[in-house]
Amino acid sequence: MSRFNQVTDRMNTRSVKWDLTESLFKSEEVLPMWVADMDFQIPKAVTDAIADRAAHGIFGYTVTDEKIHQSIKNWLSKQHDWNINTKWLSYSPGVVPSLHTMMEALTDKDDQILIQTPVYPPFYDVIKNHERTIVKNPLHQQDGKYEIDFDDFEKKLKQGVKAFILCNPHNPVGRVWTKEELQKMANLCLKHNVMIFSDEIHADLIFPGHKHIPIASLSDDIAQSTITCLSPTKTFNLAGLQVSYIVTPDAEYRKKVNDQFGLQGIKMLNTLGITALEAAYDHGDEWLEELISVLEDHKKYLMDTIHSQTNQIQVVEPEGTYLVWLDCRGLGLSHEELKSFMQEKAKIGLNDGASFGEEGEGFMRINIACPRPILEDGVQRILQAIHSKE
């Protein structure tokens, strides 16, 4: 049996996905396929490294040294053809804390911050909680694929936008922006003196036929205007270990971000997070290659099965991530009715599309990073609920 088909019982492990099912979805019968973590065992090399470190028995203050910096540098070079200077690195417990820090360090109250909606819900909080102003550049669906409205993008930048939070690969619509799209966005940001905060946490999870390009890798000028957030946590299922890093080529921006981390008291990562990062980046290639193959099969199963059995849900084909955007507008339900339908009739726990912005109404997000039996169960629950409704 493939290590990715092995079903592991995650109940009673304080799992957000599994142990909170009843409190979140009002029934323990609901199958949770929502939050962005995987139901797969992590690479053995990472488990072994954590076990070896744990066996030492002492967990004092721990530094990120040159060996860790080099692991990150090598990974970004090998996976994304991006040659960074290790002096550009800063560390954080997660991408969302990093975005909050960047917002506080590099923007001011009432500054306009651009996002491309529908988008990852914490982006809204990162802007609103710091009393900045949300500016939307809604993505447009063209023949089932999401595209950027560049006329609107520039129009919004001209209004005095201070920073643009890029999501690449995009969560939830699954786009992996092309070099041409990235270049066009970056050139417009340079033209209008707009900083780019780039969330690239899903960078390694790319389907065949597509390639992730860090926007900061396009040119030196773009790099100097960009702060990039990355992490091994989505790639290798390490979210609970809280480890991420920021790449900031501009020395002034980097100092401001690091000073802000200092004000928050965030000075170092946890010992096991550092251990996991190093082991994953140094030894995780083969595991990741197999994961992508499994996710490709899961994506195909999801699309083929749903599209062959109903025309009431359209699966938006993802180019990256293990999160799939479902267009459920064909069910003819209000958004509240759609949520109830999935939760109470289908007995499946999905992400509410409206949480990604008003552009997500009528949509739901499903996580396909689970053993095949769980995926099949979830898909059949949805189809059976649709057929019983007809």
Side-chain angles (χ1 to χ4, degrees), residues 109-365:
K109 185 179 175 183
D110 298 325
D111 276 350
Q112 297 179 46
I113 312 297
L114 183 77
I115 54 176
Q116 294 175 310
T117 54
V119 76
Y120 183 49
F123 282 15
Y124 295 91
D125 296 332
V126 161
I127 300 169
K128 289 187 294 189
N129 290 355
H130 296 275
E131 300 181 75
R132 276 55 168 171
T133 303
I134 294 172
V135 176
K136 293 183 179 183
N137 169 229
L139 300 173
H140 287 179
Q141 261 191 306
Q142 189 75 31
D143 300 322
K145 181 178 178 179
Y146 280 85
E147 304 284 356
I148 298 164
D149 182 341
F150 281 103
D151 290 338
D152 181 70
F153 186 82
E154 181 165 27
K155 176 185 166 191
K156 299 292 173 57
L157 295 187
K158 281 180 179 176
Q159 295 175 2
V161 165
K162 181 72 171 289
F164 161 44
I165 308 180
L166 171 65
C167 194
N168 184 34
H170 193 281
N171 174 12
V173 308
R175 279 300 315 276
V176 175
W177 304 116
T178 64
K179 184 175 183 179
E180 291 71 28
E181 289 168 321
L182 292 168
Q183 190 74 57
K184 197 166 181 180
M185 287 190 285
N187 288 345
L188 289 170
C189 286
L190 287 177
K191 177 181 175 182
H192 296 287
N193 196 29
V194 173
M195 289 179 290
I196 301 170
F197 299 164
S198 190
D199 175 358
E200 302 186 16
I201 196 170
H202 293 277
D204 304 318
L205 300 165
I206 308 297
F207 288 113
H210 304 278
K211 178 172 175 54
H212 176 78
I213 299 168
I215 193 168
S217 70
L218 293 175
S219 75
D220 287 342
D221 283 348
I222 295 166
Q224 293 300 315
S225 296
T226 302
I227 302 95
T228 306
C229 299
L230 292 147
S231 172
T233 55
K234 288 289 182 279
T235 310
F236 295 104
N237 205 28
L238 307 172
L241 293 177
Q242 297 193 306
V243 55
S244 79
Y245 54 96
I246 308 172
V247 183
T248 314
D250 182 87
E252 185 182 346
Y253 288 165
R254 190 166 63 249
K255 182 180 187 308
K256 286 182 177 179
V257 168
N258 288 338
D259 286 350
Q260 185 63 38
F261 275 132
L263 286 173
Q264 296 172 2
I266 299 175
K267 294 287 192 179
M268 60 184 62
L269 297 177
N270 79 76
T271 306
L272 297 185
I274 296 169
T275 302
L277 179 151
E278 182 181 28
Y281 278 178
D282 289 354
H283 306 291
D285 307 57
E286 183 187 334
W287 184 93
L288 177 56
E289 194 175 319
E290 189 177 345
L291 169 68
I292 297 296
S293 175
V294 168
L295 294 177
E296 174 77 7
D297 287 345
H298 285 193
K299 177 183 77 166
K300 187 175 187 306
Y301 167 79
L302 176 73
M303 295 185 69
D304 290 351
T305 305
I306 288 184
H307 290 164
S308 67
Q309 296 194 37
T310 182
N311 61 3
Q312 295 182 56
I313 293 181
Q314 296 300 314
V315 180
V316 177
E317 182 172 7
E319 299 170 351
T321 85
Y322 50 73
L323 306 165
V324 185
W325 198 227
L326 303 178
D327 184 346
C328 305
R329 292 175 294 181
L331 289 169
L333 303 173
S334 71
H335 193 72
E336 287 304 313
E337 289 170 340
L338 173 61
K339 286 164 58 180
S340 296
F341 175 80
M342 290 298 180
Q343 186 173 317
E344 296 168 16
K345 297 283 195 299
K347 299 289 186 187
I348 186 168
L350 304 177
N351 285 95
D352 170 16
S355 69
F356 297 85
E358 61 186 354
E359 298 83 1
E361 290 190 7
F363 291 77
M364 302 294 280
R365 191 188 76 173

Side-chain angles (χ1 to χ4, degrees), residues 53 56 58-65 68 91 267-276 278:
R53 183 64 187 83
H56 180 266
I58 299 175
F59 305 96
Y61 298 119
T62 307
V63 299
T64 45
D65 58 9
I68 300 294
Y91 294 89
K267 294 287 192 179
M268 60 184 62
L269 297 177
N270 79 76
T271 306
L272 297 185
I274 296 169
T275 302
E278 182 181 28

